[in-house]
Amino acid sequence: MKRSLITAAALTVIAVSLSGCAAGGAGTDAISATGTPTDDSLAAVHESGTLTVGTEGTYRPFTYHEGGSGKLTGYDVEVIEAVADKLGVEVKFEETQWDAIFQGLKAGRFDVVANQVSITPERVDEYEFSTPYTFSTGVVVVKKGDSSITSFEDLSGKSTAQSLSSNWYALAEESGAKIQAVEGWAQSVALVEQGRVDATVNDSLTFLDYKKQTGASGLKVAATTEEQSENAFAFAKGDTALARAVDTALAELTTSGELAKISNKYFGVDVSK
């Protein structure tokens, strides 16, 4: 996906290096005159004219298909489209399941992941992040008549439905829950409603949207995290040039009020700050 841009100085270094080898192959990664990898992430996007975005397409209200099969839409979709417009490029969405989305990013299938990715210390070690564009809390959702869970501590020994690689999975696991793996929110909330699991831990905004769409008459929020999660766009490690350009675009969207406008469209409040 990303093309290697090699400077004239770097070509000279490579040529000299190869001339001293009886048999050997040149690497495919671009390097600078100092021998360190160059960051061509932003240049590659501009050269191709396309920002390739990894997303689920099944995580309402963030990234989903209207009516189940219509156009891809959602909060994250509109925000990354506005960012791409600021960068002067088109957007190409690559839909994939959440549990495979980071492997796709590492493999270069996309330039960025737009899917409510929470910033965690573990992820910061592996990926680059933009500045946050969503702030929210986590909630424990249970059946309305269940009084056995009123805190995260009460999840110990209880069953929850979670996506394996999500930060909500980690929170449920830390709370001692017995976890049933699912592909996303739709499956997890269905299992709670059917009484097949005791609870699911997820984003408060996801539950609020579900409640707005369906009424969620048989469900309730049993507990809420004290700390907010910060969600941002994720990039492959080392793609700092692209990440910082996206930061600039987000700052411009904040100043113009466009980011707040998109947020209010989906949530009725500004969740971007």
Side-chain angles (χ1 to χ4, degrees):
M1 182 186 300
K2 297 175 183 174
R3 300 174 177 82
S4 296
L5 305 178
I6 306 177
T7 64
L11 284 171
T12 302
V13 171
I14 294 173
V16 171
S17 175
L18 290 176
S19 66
C21 300
T28 58
D29 291 336
I31 61 172
S32 68
T34 60
T36 57
T38 60
D39 176 9
D40 67 343
S41 55
L42 179 59
V45 167
H46 279 149
E47 183 178 346
S48 68
T50 303
L51 182 69
T52 304
V53 181
T55 194
E56 277 183 288
T58 57
Y59 190 21
R60 187 184 181 102
F62 306 106
T63 162
Y64 66 100
H65 289 272
E66 192 65 63
S69 59
K71 179 183 176 182
L72 183 68
T73 188
Y75 175 66
D76 286 53
V77 171
E78 289 202 26
V79 173
I80 196 64
E81 286 177 336
V83 166
D85 185 61
K86 290 291 183 182
L87 295 179
V89 297
E90 300 295 322
V91 175
K92 177 184 178 183
F93 290 101
E94 292 284 350
E95 295 180 47
T96 187
Q97 292 181 0
W98 171 258
D99 292 340
I101 208 163
F102 289 108
Q103 290 89 331
L105 182 62
K106 287 183 175 180
R109 284 181 53 203
F110 7 91
D111 303 303
V112 58
V113 170
N115 209 98
Q116 284 297 292
V117 180
S118 295
I119 302 173
T120 67
E122 294 78 16
R123 288 176 181 163
V124 168
D125 288 339
E126 292 191 63
Y127 309 99
E128 303 292 342
F129 282 94
S130 70
T131 52
Y133 61 95
T134 315
F135 297 85
S136 63
T137 56
V139 293
V140 178
V141 178
V142 302
K143 295 192 75 170
K144 182 163 285 186
D146 187 350
S147 59
S148 66
I149 301 174
T150 59
S151 67
F152 281 86
E153 289 75 14
D154 290 336
L155 288 177
S156 180
K158 299 287 188 178
S159 58
T160 69
Q162 312 292 152
S163 297
L164 288 178
S165 58
S166 73
N167 57 305
W168 306 121
Y169 170 92
L171 182 54
E173 185 177 47
E174 290 170 7
S175 301
K178 296 181 292 185
I179 298 173
Q180 180 169 330
V182 295
E183 292 181 1
W185 164 255
Q187 286 187 355
S188 63
V189 73
L191 291 178
V192 175
E193 290 175 323
Q194 295 162 8
R196 295 168 61 186
V197 297
D198 298 309
T200 184
V201 181
N202 214 290
D203 191 285
S204 59
L205 300 179
T206 302
F207 177 71
L208 287 175
D209 176 74
Y210 183 74
K211 186 175 182 179
K212 182 175 71 174
Q213 298 299 321
T214 69
S217 58
L219 301 173
K220 69 175 183 178
V221 171
T224 303
T225 58
E226 293 183 1
E227 295 183 356
Q228 286 185 319
S229 65
E230 299 182 351
N231 304 306
F233 297 120
F235 308 82
K237 198 68 174 177
D239 285 1
T240 54
L242 180 57
R244 299 295 74 80
V246 169
D247 285 349
T248 299
L250 286 171
E252 293 173 357
L253 291 169
T254 298
T255 300
S256 68
E258 181 64 20
L259 196 55
K261 181 180 178 180
I262 297 172
S263 178
N264 275 284
K265 173 182 176 179
Y266 287 96
F267 307 108
V269 294
D270 186 1
V271 302
S272 66
K273 60 183 181 181

